[in-house]
Amino acid sequence: MAIIDERRGRRIAQQVYGLPVKGTAGILVEAHRHGLITELRSQLLDLRMAGYFIADGVIAAACQAVGE
């Protein structure tokens, strides 16, 4: 599995190399599901405040996936 956030990189990894991909939000969703983190939204917002770009839609979809 490749961990890639950039849209173009994800597309190339999937289409050209056939790799399954997951982004940072997806990794954090899995961590939440396994009980490793309790508040997904706060983790994503902390990343954003640290300068990491995460779209509002990605945050919303990730939080919806875990029922937050």
Side-chain angles (χ1 to χ4, degrees):
M1 176 177 297
I3 301 171
I4 304 174
D5 288 319
E6 177 190 283
R7 184 177 298 162
R8 182 172 182 237
R10 291 171 71 100
R11 183 178 48 80
I12 291 169
Q14 289 173 315
Q15 294 177 353
V16 175
Y17 298 103
L19 295 172
V21 297
K22 191 169 285 202
T24 301
I27 296 295
L28 290 174
V29 165
E30 290 300 316
H32 185 280
R33 287 179 176 158
H34 289 0
L36 299 172
I37 60 174
T38 56
E39 295 180 14
L40 177 61
R41 183 177 304 276
S42 66
Q43 296 292 321
L44 292 169
L45 293 175
D46 285 348
L47 282 172
R48 181 187 275 177
M49 288 184 61
Y52 193 86
F53 176 77
I54 303 176
D56 290 336
V58 171
I59 292 174
C63 291
Q64 182 178 12
V66 297
E68 251 187 55

